[in-house]
Amino acid sequence: MMKQILQCAAVALTVGAASGAMAQGPGADYPGSKPVRMVVPFPPGGGTDILARIIAQKLSEQNHWTVVADNRAGAGGTIGISEVAKAQPSGYDIVMGQKDNVVLGYYLYKGLPWNPGKDLTPIAHVAYSPVIIATSENSKFKTLNDVIAAAKADPGKITYGSPGNGTSIHIAGVLFEKAAGVKLTHVPYKGSNPALLDTLSGNVDLLVSSVPSAIGQIKAGKLRPLAVTSAKRSTSLPDVPTVAELGMKGFDVSTWYGLFGPKNLPAPIVSKLNTEVNKLLGQKEVQDSILAQGAEPQAMSVSDFDKFFHKDFQDAKAIVEASGATIQ
């Protein structure tokens, strides 16, 4: 009898130990007291940077985590993505990517040491944003049709700044030129903020930008919005017409933002991050903060974001080829 009792006790201890091991598996106590680095692949002040800091700050405040935004700009955002693609899959190096660098960059920058479809793990979709075409308050252009008329009269004279070659915003500019039948001169910058500053000072005629990067100066009256490139008007700028409304029917170009980690990131860590980000996106305070920046908050499950991302990646090649965009 005693032998049976001892055997049962041994089994119980074994099961308990196994259960404890499972509970302490990958991600069980993530992130603990260790800081999480959220790479921002553009300079401070742009749309990606603003959204990343909103999410990083709220994750830190509400979960008592330490999430630090780290700007790593260059090469249309692909340098920052590269850092995370080659990082250890621990969950302590993630990146706020977007359509520009995660999807389009692969088809525009030859020789990238990573393939987004294979070397990144989609974690959480955060928001999407139309692209805006704007000009300085002192500009002679009052409407987008003014720009088109001037560009047809003097091809190549009108300049527009973008966050860089190969970004979805650059692609939007090229597709707009094709749709309008005009020739503009593209001036690439290392992020939205430098392009914005040069537009305000008159060094370039137009700014093509995400709404979050431009909305502050629009609300301040220093930047005149001419049109958004999405199929419907921006929630944050309801009075600004779409390119399609101005005669280019079917024109629809927008960008999106989401968190990614390295490949082989453990599923429990991915699930935990996705759950916590989606909780934030369900809060009115966070929604209002994102909307105030001109973006549209949009939560997705891990599965839905994975499917969305891979489809967009597959479709991007045709978009890049249709635009004729090149890296200069």
Short mmCIF file of all heavy atoms in Angstrom, two decimals, residues 147-197:
data_model
loop_
_atom_site.label_atom_id
_atom_site.label_comp_id
_atom_site.label_asym_id
_atom_site.label_seq_id
_atom_site.Cartn_x
_atom_site.Cartn_y
_atom_site.Cartn_z
N VAL A 147 -2.29 72.60 -59.85
CA VAL A 147 -1.01 71.89 -60.01
C VAL A 147 -0.97 71.17 -61.36
O VAL A 147 0.03 71.25 -62.09
CB VAL A 147 -0.82 70.87 -58.87
CG1 VAL A 147 0.42 70.01 -59.11
CG2 VAL A 147 -0.72 71.57 -57.52
N ILE A 148 -2.04 70.49 -61.69
CA ILE A 148 -2.10 69.73 -62.94
C ILE A 148 -1.95 70.66 -64.15
O ILE A 148 -1.19 70.38 -65.09
CB ILE A 148 -3.41 68.92 -63.02
CG1 ILE A 148 -3.42 67.84 -61.94
CG2 ILE A 148 -3.58 68.30 -64.40
CD1 ILE A 148 -4.75 67.12 -61.79
N ALA A 149 -2.65 71.79 -64.11
CA ALA A 149 -2.58 72.74 -65.23
C ALA A 149 -1.17 73.28 -65.39
O ALA A 149 -0.64 73.38 -66.52
CB ALA A 149 -3.57 73.89 -65.00
N ALA A 150 -0.52 73.63 -64.27
CA ALA A 150 0.85 74.18 -64.32
C ALA A 150 1.84 73.12 -64.79
O ALA A 150 2.78 73.42 -65.55
CB ALA A 150 1.24 74.71 -62.95
N ALA A 151 1.63 71.88 -64.35
CA ALA A 151 2.55 70.79 -64.73
C ALA A 151 2.43 70.47 -66.22
O ALA A 151 3.42 70.12 -66.88
CB ALA A 151 2.25 69.55 -63.90
N LYS A 152 1.23 70.60 -66.77
CA LYS A 152 1.04 70.34 -68.20
C LYS A 152 1.66 71.48 -69.03
O LYS A 152 2.17 71.24 -70.14
CB LYS A 152 -0.44 70.19 -68.51
CG LYS A 152 -1.02 68.85 -68.03
CD LYS A 152 -2.47 68.69 -68.42
CE LYS A 152 -2.98 67.30 -68.01
NZ LYS A 152 -4.41 67.10 -68.37
N ALA A 153 1.62 72.67 -68.48
CA ALA A 153 2.18 73.82 -69.20
C ALA A 153 3.71 73.80 -69.19
O ALA A 153 4.35 74.27 -70.14
CB ALA A 153 1.67 75.11 -68.58
N ASP A 154 4.30 73.25 -68.13
CA ASP A 154 5.77 73.25 -68.00
C ASP A 154 6.21 71.93 -67.35
O ASP A 154 6.50 71.87 -66.15
CB ASP A 154 6.20 74.44 -67.13
CG ASP A 154 7.68 74.77 -67.29
OD1 ASP A 154 8.40 73.96 -67.92
OD2 ASP A 154 8.11 75.82 -66.80
N PRO A 155 6.27 70.84 -68.10
CA PRO A 155 6.59 69.51 -67.56
C PRO A 155 7.93 69.47 -66.83
O PRO A 155 8.93 70.00 -67.31
CB PRO A 155 6.64 68.63 -68.82
CG PRO A 155 5.78 69.33 -69.82
CD PRO A 155 5.99 70.80 -69.55
N GLY A 156 7.90 68.88 -65.63
CA GLY A 156 9.12 68.69 -64.86
C GLY A 156 9.51 69.85 -63.97
O GLY A 156 10.41 69.72 -63.14
N LYS A 157 8.85 71.00 -64.12
CA LYS A 157 9.25 72.17 -63.33
C LYS A 157 8.78 72.06 -61.88
O LYS A 157 9.47 72.48 -60.95
CB LYS A 157 8.70 73.45 -63.95
CG LYS A 157 9.14 74.70 -63.20
CD LYS A 157 8.65 75.98 -63.87
CE LYS A 157 9.12 77.21 -63.09
NZ LYS A 157 8.63 78.47 -63.72
N ILE A 158 7.59 71.50 -61.66
CA ILE A 158 7.04 71.41 -60.31
C ILE A 158 7.69 70.25 -59.56
O ILE A 158 7.77 69.13 -60.07
CB ILE A 158 5.51 71.24 -60.35
CG1 ILE A 158 4.87 72.46 -60.99
CG2 ILE A 158 4.96 71.02 -58.94
CD1 ILE A 158 3.39 72.31 -61.23
N THR A 159 8.14 70.54 -58.34
CA THR A 159 8.82 69.53 -57.53
C THR A 159 7.92 69.06 -56.40
O THR A 159 7.07 69.80 -55.91
CB THR A 159 10.12 70.10 -56.93
OG1 THR A 159 9.80 71.27 -56.16
CG2 THR A 159 11.11 70.47 -58.03
N TYR A 160 8.13 67.82 -55.99
CA TYR A 160 7.43 67.32 -54.79
C TYR A 160 8.39 66.51 -53.93
O TYR A 160 9.22 65.75 -54.43
CB TYR A 160 6.19 66.51 -55.15
CG TYR A 160 6.43 65.12 -55.70
CD1 TYR A 160 6.46 64.00 -54.86
CD2 TYR A 160 6.57 64.91 -57.07
CE1 TYR A 160 6.65 62.73 -55.37
CE2 TYR A 160 6.74 63.65 -57.59
CZ TYR A 160 6.79 62.55 -56.73
OH TYR A 160 6.97 61.28 -57.25
N GLY A 161 8.28 66.72 -52.62
CA GLY A 161 9.11 65.99 -51.67
C GLY A 161 8.37 64.79 -51.11
O GLY A 161 7.15 64.84 -50.92
N SER A 162 9.10 63.73 -50.84
CA SER A 162 8.53 62.52 -50.24
C SER A 162 9.48 62.02 -49.15
O SER A 162 10.62 62.48 -49.06
CB SER A 162 8.31 61.43 -51.30
OG SER A 162 9.50 60.68 -51.49
N PRO A 163 9.04 61.03 -48.33
CA PRO A 163 9.92 60.50 -47.29
C PRO A 163 11.08 59.67 -47.82
O PRO A 163 11.92 59.23 -47.06
CB PRO A 163 8.99 59.62 -46.45
CG PRO A 163 7.62 60.04 -46.80
CD PRO A 163 7.69 60.51 -48.21
N GLY A 164 11.12 59.44 -49.13
CA GLY A 164 12.24 58.69 -49.68
C GLY A 164 11.86 57.85 -50.88
O GLY A 164 10.70 57.54 -51.12
N ASN A 165 12.86 57.48 -51.66
CA ASN A 165 12.66 56.59 -52.79
C ASN A 165 12.12 55.25 -52.33
O ASN A 165 12.57 54.68 -51.34
CB ASN A 165 13.98 56.36 -53.53
CG ASN A 165 14.35 57.52 -54.43
OD1 ASN A 165 13.55 57.94 -55.26
ND2 ASN A 165 15.55 58.04 -54.27
N GLY A 166 11.16 54.73 -53.07
CA GLY A 166 10.66 53.39 -52.78
C GLY A 166 9.59 53.31 -51.72
O GLY A 166 9.08 52.22 -51.46
N THR A 167 9.23 54.43 -51.12
CA THR A 167 8.15 54.40 -50.13
C THR A 167 6.81 54.36 -50.85
O THR A 167 6.70 54.71 -52.03
CB THR A 167 8.20 55.64 -49.22
OG1 THR A 167 8.02 56.81 -50.03
CG2 THR A 167 9.54 55.73 -48.49
N SER A 168 5.77 53.94 -50.15
CA SER A 168 4.44 53.92 -50.76
C SER A 168 4.02 55.34 -51.15
O SER A 168 3.23 55.54 -52.07
CB SER A 168 3.41 53.31 -49.81
OG SER A 168 3.29 54.07 -48.63
N ILE A 169 4.57 56.32 -50.44
CA ILE A 169 4.25 57.72 -50.73
C ILE A 169 4.91 58.14 -52.04
O ILE A 169 4.30 58.84 -52.87
CB ILE A 169 4.67 58.60 -49.54
CG1 ILE A 169 3.75 58.26 -48.35
CG2 ILE A 169 4.60 60.07 -49.88
CD1 ILE A 169 4.20 58.77 -47.03
N HIS A 170 6.14 57.71 -52.26
CA HIS A 170 6.79 57.93 -53.56
C HIS A 170 5.98 57.24 -54.66
O HIS A 170 5.72 57.84 -55.72
CB HIS A 170 8.22 57.37 -53.52
CG HIS A 170 8.93 57.39 -54.83
ND1 HIS A 170 9.92 56.50 -55.14
CD2 HIS A 170 8.77 58.17 -55.93
CE1 HIS A 170 10.36 56.74 -56.36
NE2 HIS A 170 9.68 57.74 -56.86
N ILE A 171 5.56 56.01 -54.42
CA ILE A 171 4.75 55.27 -55.39
C ILE A 171 3.46 56.04 -55.68
O ILE A 171 3.02 56.15 -56.82
CB ILE A 171 4.40 53.87 -54.86
CG1 ILE A 171 5.69 53.04 -54.65
CG2 ILE A 171 3.45 53.15 -55.81
CD1 ILE A 171 6.41 52.66 -55.88
N ALA A 172 2.83 56.59 -54.62
CA ALA A 172 1.60 57.36 -54.80
C ALA A 172 1.85 58.56 -55.71
O ALA A 172 1.02 58.89 -56.57
CB ALA A 172 1.07 57.83 -53.45
N GLY A 173 3.01 59.22 -55.51
CA GLY A 173 3.34 60.36 -56.36
C GLY A 173 3.50 59.97 -57.82
O GLY A 173 3.00 60.65 -58.72
N VAL A 174 4.19 58.85 -58.05
CA VAL A 174 4.40 58.38 -59.42
C VAL A 174 3.07 57.99 -60.07
O VAL A 174 2.80 58.32 -61.23
CB VAL A 174 5.37 57.18 -59.42
CG1 VAL A 174 5.48 56.58 -60.82
CG2 VAL A 174 6.75 57.62 -58.95
N LEU A 175 2.22 57.28 -59.32
CA LEU A 175 0.92 56.87 -59.86
C LEU A 175 0.02 58.08 -60.13
O LEU A 175 -0.76 58.07 -61.09
CB LEU A 175 0.24 55.90 -58.89
CG LEU A 175 0.91 54.52 -58.74
CD1 LEU A 175 0.21 53.69 -57.68
CD2 LEU A 175 0.92 53.77 -60.07
N PHE A 176 0.15 59.11 -59.28
CA PHE A 176 -0.61 60.34 -59.54
C PHE A 176 -0.16 60.98 -60.84
O PHE A 176 -0.99 61.43 -61.65
CB PHE A 176 -0.45 61.31 -58.37
CG PHE A 176 -0.92 62.70 -58.70
CD1 PHE A 176 -2.27 62.97 -58.87
CD2 PHE A 176 -0.01 63.73 -58.90
CE1 PHE A 176 -2.71 64.26 -59.20
CE2 PHE A 176 -0.42 65.01 -59.24
CZ PHE A 176 -1.79 65.27 -59.39
N GLU A 177 1.15 61.05 -61.07
CA GLU A 177 1.65 61.61 -62.32
C GLU A 177 1.07 60.88 -63.52
O GLU A 177 0.64 61.51 -64.50
CB GLU A 177 3.18 61.51 -62.37
CG GLU A 177 3.92 62.44 -61.41
CD GLU A 177 5.43 62.30 -61.56
OE1 GLU A 177 5.95 62.73 -62.60
OE2 GLU A 177 6.06 61.75 -60.65
N LYS A 178 1.04 59.56 -63.44
CA LYS A 178 0.51 58.76 -64.54
C LYS A 178 -0.98 59.01 -64.75
O LYS A 178 -1.46 59.16 -65.87
CB LYS A 178 0.77 57.28 -64.27
CG LYS A 178 2.23 56.86 -64.41
CD LYS A 178 2.40 55.38 -64.13
CE LYS A 178 3.83 54.95 -64.37
NZ LYS A 178 4.21 54.99 -65.81
N ALA A 179 -1.73 59.04 -63.64
CA ALA A 179 -3.18 59.21 -63.72
C ALA A 179 -3.54 60.60 -64.26
O ALA A 179 -4.51 60.75 -65.02
CB ALA A 179 -3.81 59.00 -62.35
N ALA A 180 -2.76 61.61 -63.85
CA ALA A 180 -3.05 62.99 -64.27
C ALA A 180 -2.44 63.33 -65.62
O ALA A 180 -2.77 64.36 -66.21
CB ALA A 180 -2.54 63.96 -63.22
N GLY A 181 -1.52 62.49 -66.08
CA GLY A 181 -0.86 62.76 -67.36
C GLY A 181 0.10 63.91 -67.28
O GLY A 181 0.20 64.71 -68.23
N VAL A 182 0.84 64.00 -66.17
CA VAL A 182 1.79 65.10 -65.99
C VAL A 182 3.16 64.56 -65.61
O VAL A 182 3.30 63.39 -65.23
CB VAL A 182 1.31 66.09 -64.91
CG1 VAL A 182 -0.01 66.73 -65.30
CG2 VAL A 182 1.20 65.41 -63.54
N LYS A 183 4.15 65.42 -65.69
CA LYS A 183 5.50 65.09 -65.27
C LYS A 183 5.93 66.05 -64.17
O LYS A 183 6.00 67.27 -64.36
CB LYS A 183 6.48 65.19 -66.45
CG LYS A 183 7.94 64.99 -66.07
CD LYS A 183 8.19 63.61 -65.46
CE LYS A 183 9.67 63.44 -65.10
NZ LYS A 183 9.90 62.17 -64.38
N LEU A 184 6.19 65.50 -62.97
CA LEU A 184 6.71 66.27 -61.84
C LEU A 184 8.14 65.82 -61.57
O LEU A 184 8.59 64.80 -62.09
CB LEU A 184 5.85 66.05 -60.59
CG LEU A 184 4.34 66.28 -60.72
CD1 LEU A 184 3.64 65.92 -59.42
CD2 LEU A 184 4.05 67.73 -61.11
N THR A 185 8.85 66.57 -60.74
CA THR A 185 10.21 66.17 -60.35
C THR A 185 10.19 65.74 -58.89
O THR A 185 9.85 66.53 -58.00
CB THR A 185 11.20 67.34 -60.54
OG1 THR A 185 11.28 67.65 -61.94
CG2 THR A 185 12.58 66.95 -60.04
N HIS A 186 10.58 64.49 -58.66
CA HIS A 186 10.57 63.92 -57.32
C HIS A 186 11.85 64.29 -56.57
O HIS A 186 12.96 64.15 -57.10
CB HIS A 186 10.44 62.39 -57.41
CG HIS A 186 10.53 61.69 -56.10
ND1 HIS A 186 11.33 60.58 -55.88
CD2 HIS A 186 9.93 61.96 -54.89
CE1 HIS A 186 11.19 60.18 -54.63
NE2 HIS A 186 10.36 61.01 -54.02
N VAL A 187 11.69 64.76 -55.33
CA VAL A 187 12.84 65.07 -54.46
C VAL A 187 12.72 64.18 -53.23
O VAL A 187 11.89 64.43 -52.34
CB VAL A 187 12.85 66.56 -54.05
CG1 VAL A 187 14.08 66.84 -53.18
CG2 VAL A 187 12.82 67.46 -55.27
N PRO A 188 13.53 63.11 -53.13
CA PRO A 188 13.44 62.19 -51.99
C PRO A 188 14.19 62.72 -50.77
O PRO A 188 15.25 63.32 -50.90
CB PRO A 188 14.09 60.91 -52.52
CG PRO A 188 15.08 61.39 -53.54
CD PRO A 188 14.49 62.63 -54.16
N TYR A 189 13.61 62.48 -49.59
CA TYR A 189 14.25 62.86 -48.33
C TYR A 189 14.41 61.62 -47.45
O TYR A 189 13.87 60.55 -47.78
CB TYR A 189 13.40 63.90 -47.59
CG TYR A 189 13.37 65.25 -48.26
CD1 TYR A 189 12.50 65.50 -49.32
CD2 TYR A 189 14.21 66.27 -47.85
CE1 TYR A 189 12.47 66.74 -49.95
CE2 TYR A 189 14.19 67.52 -48.46
CZ TYR A 189 13.32 67.74 -49.52
OH TYR A 189 13.30 68.97 -50.13
N LYS A 190 15.08 61.77 -46.35
CA LYS A 190 15.25 60.66 -45.41
C LYS A 190 14.18 60.74 -44.32
O LYS A 190 14.46 60.89 -43.15
CB LYS A 190 16.65 60.68 -44.79
CG LYS A 190 17.75 60.36 -45.79
CD LYS A 190 19.11 60.31 -45.12
CE LYS A 190 20.21 59.95 -46.12
NZ LYS A 190 21.55 59.90 -45.48
N GLY A 191 12.93 60.69 -44.76
CA GLY A 191 11.83 60.77 -43.81
C GLY A 191 10.87 61.89 -44.16
O GLY A 191 11.18 62.79 -44.96
N SER A 192 9.68 61.85 -43.55
CA SER A 192 8.63 62.82 -43.85
C SER A 192 8.95 64.23 -43.34
O SER A 192 8.64 65.23 -44.00
CB SER A 192 7.30 62.36 -43.24
OG SER A 192 6.86 61.18 -43.84
N ASN A 193 9.55 64.31 -42.14
CA ASN A 193 9.75 65.62 -41.53
C ASN A 193 10.67 66.53 -42.34
O ASN A 193 10.34 67.72 -42.54
CB ASN A 193 10.26 65.46 -40.10
CG ASN A 193 9.82 66.61 -39.21
OD1 ASN A 193 8.68 67.07 -39.31
ND2 ASN A 193 10.70 67.08 -38.34
N PRO A 194 11.81 66.03 -42.85
CA PRO A 194 12.64 66.91 -43.69
C PRO A 194 11.92 67.38 -44.94
O PRO A 194 12.08 68.53 -45.36
CB PRO A 194 13.84 66.02 -44.03
CG PRO A 194 13.90 65.00 -42.95
CD PRO A 194 12.47 64.73 -42.57
N ALA A 195 11.11 66.50 -45.54
CA ALA A 195 10.34 66.89 -46.73
C ALA A 195 9.31 67.95 -46.38
O ALA A 195 9.10 68.92 -47.13
CB ALA A 195 9.65 65.65 -47.33
N LEU A 196 8.68 67.79 -45.22
CA LEU A 196 7.70 68.76 -44.75
C LEU A 196 8.33 70.13 -44.54
O LEU A 196 7.80 71.17 -44.98
CB LEU A 196 7.08 68.27 -43.44
CG LEU A 196 6.20 69.24 -42.66
CD1 LEU A 196 4.96 69.60 -43.47
CD2 LEU A 196 5.81 68.64 -41.31
N LEU A 197 9.48 70.17 -43.89
CA LEU A 197 10.15 71.44 -43.61
C LEU A 197 10.54 72.17 -44.89
O LEU A 197 10.41 73.40 -44.99
CB LEU A 197 11.38 71.19 -42.73
CG LEU A 197 11.10 70.70 -41.31
CD1 LEU A 197 12.40 70.36 -40.58
CD2 LEU A 197 10.30 71.72 -40.52
#
